[in-house]
Amino acid sequence: MVEARRRTLHGRRRGKKLRAGQPSLLETLLPRLALALPVEPAKIDLAQAFGGSLPPDGVWLEVGFGAGEHLVWQAEQNPGVGLIGCEPYLNGVAKCLAHIERAGLTNVRLFTDDARLLMAALPARSLSRAFVLFPDPWPKTRHHKRRFVRRENLDRLAELMLPGAELRLATDDPSYLPWMVEHAGTHPAFEWLAEGPADWRGRPADWPATRYEQKMLAGKPVFLRLRRR
């Protein structure tokens, strides 16, 4: 169990009043998709979580899915993959549930608390891809210790990812980019796949833009792809 005083890495849990229909989704659909943490030292049974058998094309994890547009797009485009999304912000969870219901998806599971709790409960070498897209940059120097992309979290992701699995990172914050390169790009478990500037300035074809990216006020987004050694 993560200690009670563990440093918070996410922002608010709630925002504006939920729109009509969203509370109902939280009450009816979320319980069917929510992942529960097992009693330690047991790990989550991913086969059971996805209906009795492991998804044939592997399991992917997205940390901080926002409103869920990227998560749902990936689930639609990759029906053989099981997608796990982590997001503590309930307004975003409600929007994601609406996308899931509208698309009729069955290959998505959600965790609505600190992603580190879920990561601690997943079995080793269970992920074939992971996404950390536009995490809170915590721009003030005194808050840098709250950034998700840091050694301890990368160490755990390395334990969870299969050899050859891909880790995708993105940020639009100019102070977070060098931080990501320093921490993820030099991590011994990961190989940065960029060969030149175009590789981090250009968006891969299977990396859709979200409404957040379209309305953001900061600099241009940067996309980093790394491979588990």
Side-chain angles (χ1 to χ4, degrees):
M1 186 68 176
V2 174
E3 63 271 20
R5 293 186 179 181
R6 175 164 242 179
R7 188 174 292 115
T8 299
L9 301 187
H10 56 78
R12 301 176 298 168
R13 292 279 294 180
R14 291 178 180 272
K16 297 179 180 179
K17 183 179 179 181
L18 295 175
R19 297 179 180 178
Q22 290 182 335
S24 176
L25 289 172
L26 291 172
E27 294 174 2
T28 59
L29 182 56
L30 180 58
R32 301 204 303 267
L33 304 181
L35 287 178
L37 297 177
V39 178
E40 289 189 11
K43 299 296 184 182
I44 294 173
D45 185 335
L46 289 175
Q48 183 179 21
F50 283 99
S53 60
L54 285 172
D57 295 333
V59 176
W60 297 359
L61 171 69
E62 181 169 351
V63 175
F65 58 72
E69 294 126 313
H70 175 270
L71 182 73
V72 169
W73 188 92
Q74 293 291 357
E76 288 182 293
Q77 300 299 313
N78 301 280
V81 172
L83 274 292
I84 299 175
C86 298
E87 178 58 63
Y89 185 52
L90 290 181
N91 295 65
V93 172
K95 291 178 181 179
C96 183
L97 289 169
H99 293 315
I100 292 171
E101 183 180 55
R102 191 177 304 116
L105 297 173
T106 60
N107 60 330
V108 178
R109 298 295 181 267
L110 303 180
F111 185 71
T112 59
D113 206 331
D114 192 321
R116 294 171 298 175
L117 295 170
L118 178 74
M119 289 162 55
L122 288 173
R125 296 197 172 193
S126 58
L127 302 178
S128 51
R129 185 170 294 185
F131 306 90
V132 184
L133 309 181
F134 303 100
D136 193 324
W138 295 105
K140 294 181 179 180
T141 302
R142 69 176 185 272
H143 291 156
H144 283 182
K145 55 186 175 291
R146 297 185 178 183
R147 288 176 166 175
F148 183 86
V149 180
R150 54 188 304 108
R151 185 57 183 258
E152 63 188 73
N153 293 329
L154 292 169
D155 287 347
R156 181 56 185 159
L157 282 173
E159 294 172 356
L160 295 177
M161 297 175 71
L162 291 161
E166 188 172 318
L167 172 61
R168 294 188 173 187
L169 309 175
T171 184
D172 63 309
D173 186 271
S175 73
Y176 210 161
L177 173 58
W179 177 283
M180 283 186 170
V181 172
E182 176 186 354
H183 287 78
T186 63
H187 193 286
F190 294 101
E191 175 189 6
W192 190 15
L193 299 179
E195 296 181 355
D199 293 321
W200 65 77
R201 292 173 181 165
R203 177 192 305 278
D206 62 344
W207 196 325
T210 65
R211 282 188 295 173
Y212 169 79
E213 293 179 64
Q214 294 166 2
K215 70 178 183 180
M216 64 189 176
L217 301 178
K220 295 181 179 180
V222 175
F223 309 95
L224 306 182
R225 298 173 58 228
L226 303 102
R227 181 167 54 216
R228 178 67 171 93
R229 295 185 187 275

